[in-house]
Amino acid sequence: MSTQTSGLAIETAGLVKTFGETRAVDGVDLAVPAGTVYGVLGPNGAGKTTTVKMLATLLRPDGGQAHVFGHDVVREADEVRGRVSLTGQYASVDEDLTGTENLVLLGRLLGHHKKAARDRAAQLLEAFGLTEAAGRQVKQYSGGMRRRIDIAASILNTPDLLFLDEPTTGLDPRSRNQVWEIVRAVVAQGTTVLLTTQYLDEADQLASRIAVIDRGRVIAEGTKGELKSSVGAGSVHLRLRDADRRPLAADLLRRTLDARVQLEPDPVALTARLGTAAGDDSAAEQAARALSELARAGITVDNFSLGQPSLDEVFLALTGHDTHDSPDHSTDRKDEVAA
């Protein structure tokens, strides 16, 4: 591999990690362009954290190759560590110290003089909206504030590559949005971000390219548009007048469009994915045919919309389950024990 000349921050080929009889990572190939957010999307236990730990030199691969900015993660581990930073799923700062004390301590450990460490801590606390909480112990912070101080600690020295391993797990929507803004700001400064997530909307919001990983394997990779177009021309979303008519409408859509139909939590709503076996008809033509058939059957549609498949639909089509369903083996949990 020649990562330095190819414009890639990360390049792996056939990456493997086993724990006993479990292949937590089973031949993963990645090519992560420098200066972007690259999403690794998958459910708990899919092998995301294990992959990140190998790339960050915290675990030794059992097979395959991995390079970070041209450096082999095994033979040149020190060079890799000098260019990366990792924010894991759990807070890594000292909860008994204040926000300022945490950042100053880490800054000193990274070689900053005392004044420089204090200046950098103040700069990051202001940038991350934590100035008012700077003098409070971290154990008094909310979940969103803890994630922000964690990320701030990761970029005391601006890394070339930042690993964010499920950074918004358990956060409320407002805190998640704040973390997303921080990620965008970090990338705007030139840092590459490898983001692992089980949240489809997070990958949709942040990542320019996405690898879908399931049971230790990459099962699809591409831009959001490429992944969405790979599973069909689009989706039609319907809201019916009468909830009692939804089972009939779903059956009619399946027969008319030969499409997968999903019943939504709203009892009058359903979604049909288009383009699976509809010949040369466009998505609009398929939707028009479906509406005609529903009207002929006396089913009133109050509202409908036509659009690209969501990443939820993409993942379900690729794996047969959603991102909140764990695979049969919980690889990442085994990884936590082994690490």
Side-chain angles (χ1 to χ4, degrees):
M1 301 179 193
S2 181
T3 314
Q4 289 176 306
T5 59
S6 64
L8 296 177
I10 297 170
E11 194 170 8
T12 74
L15 200 60
V16 172
K17 184 64 184 177
T18 60
F19 298 107
E21 297 181 358
T22 299
R23 289 176 75 87
V25 175
D26 191 11
V28 164
D29 298 331
L30 294 175
V32 178
T36 65
V37 179
Y38 189 94
V40 178
L41 175 66
N44 287 329
K48 305 187 301 297
T49 295
T50 307
T51 299
V52 165
K53 286 188 173 182
M54 286 189 284
L55 294 172
T57 74
L58 298 177
L59 286 175
R60 187 183 182 95
D62 293 318
Q65 294 182 326
H67 288 73
V68 172
F69 294 109
H71 298 294
D72 186 279
V73 299
V74 176
R75 297 193 307 271
E76 301 173 283
D78 286 343
E79 287 84 350
V80 172
R81 290 170 189 153
R83 302 191 66 174
V84 307
S85 187
L86 167 64
T87 295
Q89 298 176 25
Y90 306 101
S92 59
V93 292
D94 190 325
E95 294 196 343
D96 290 325
L97 298 181
T98 67
T100 295
E101 288 169 342
N102 266 291
L103 296 185
V104 169
L105 172 62
L106 291 170
R108 297 284 282 149
L109 290 173
L110 289 169
H112 293 284
H113 295 299
K114 189 172 184 178
K115 183 179 185 304
R118 285 191 168 278
D119 289 345
R120 180 60 172 159
Q123 178 187 29
L124 288 170
L125 288 164
E126 181 179 1
F128 285 31
L130 293 170
T131 300
E132 292 186 3
R136 300 209 313 260
Q137 290 177 301
V138 170
K139 64 185 176 184
Q140 298 174 0
Y141 285 12
S142 67
M145 293 165 69
R146 291 186 188 207
R147 298 311 288 154
R148 281 183 275 157
I149 195 73
D150 237 12
I151 297 174
S154 298
I155 61 172
L156 274 160
N157 285 348
T158 305
D160 294 322
L161 172 62
L162 175 60
F163 296 104
L164 291 179
D165 190 16
E166 301 196 20
T168 62
T169 297
L171 297 187
D172 60 81
R174 180 173 178 272
S175 296
R176 290 179 67 202
N177 283 328
Q178 290 174 336
V179 171
W180 292 353
E181 288 305 314
I182 290 169
V183 173
R184 294 185 182 105
V186 167
V187 175
Q189 297 300 312
T191 296
T192 304
V193 172
L194 182 76
L195 169 76
T196 74
T197 183
Q198 59 178 307
Y199 297 129
L200 296 138
D201 60 332
E202 185 159 86
D204 211 352
Q205 283 279 338
L206 295 176
S208 55
R209 296 189 70 85
I210 299 169
V212 180
I213 187 168
D214 194 40
R215 295 177 170 85
R217 295 173 176 266
V218 175
I219 59 174
E221 197 276 347
T223 66
K224 294 173 284 189
E226 289 168 347
L227 292 176
K228 290 176 180 180
S229 64
S230 71
V231 300
S235 294
V236 60
H237 307 277
L238 304 170
R239 295 191 83 256
L240 308 179
R241 176 75 54 83
D242 186 353
D244 292 338
R245 305 285 280 171
R246 189 168 75 162
L248 177 60
D251 183 62
L252 189 149
L253 289 173
R254 290 188 191 98
R255 289 187 284 106
T256 301
L257 301 175
D258 192 17
R260 184 193 296 263
V261 177
Q262 178 178 334
L263 302 181
E264 305 295 347
D266 182 342
V268 297
L270 65 166
T271 297
R273 194 174 74 242
L274 306 177
T276 54
D280 296 326
D281 287 351
S282 68
E285 289 170 332
Q286 294 176 59
R289 186 167 72 250
L291 291 171
S292 295
E293 291 298 323
L294 290 170
R296 189 174 293 116
I299 299 172
T300 302
V301 177
D302 277 345
N303 183 272
F304 82 95
S305 61
L306 177 64
Q308 269 195 318
S310 66
L311 278 180
D312 299 76
E313 294 169 280
V314 171
F315 196 87
L316 183 61
L318 291 170
T319 68
H321 59 84
D322 65 35
T323 53
H324 299 292
D325 293 334
S326 295
D328 293 338
H329 52 77
S330 186
T331 56
D332 284 357
R333 287 187 205 134
K334 292 178 184 293
D335 161 28
E336 295 294 337
V337 175

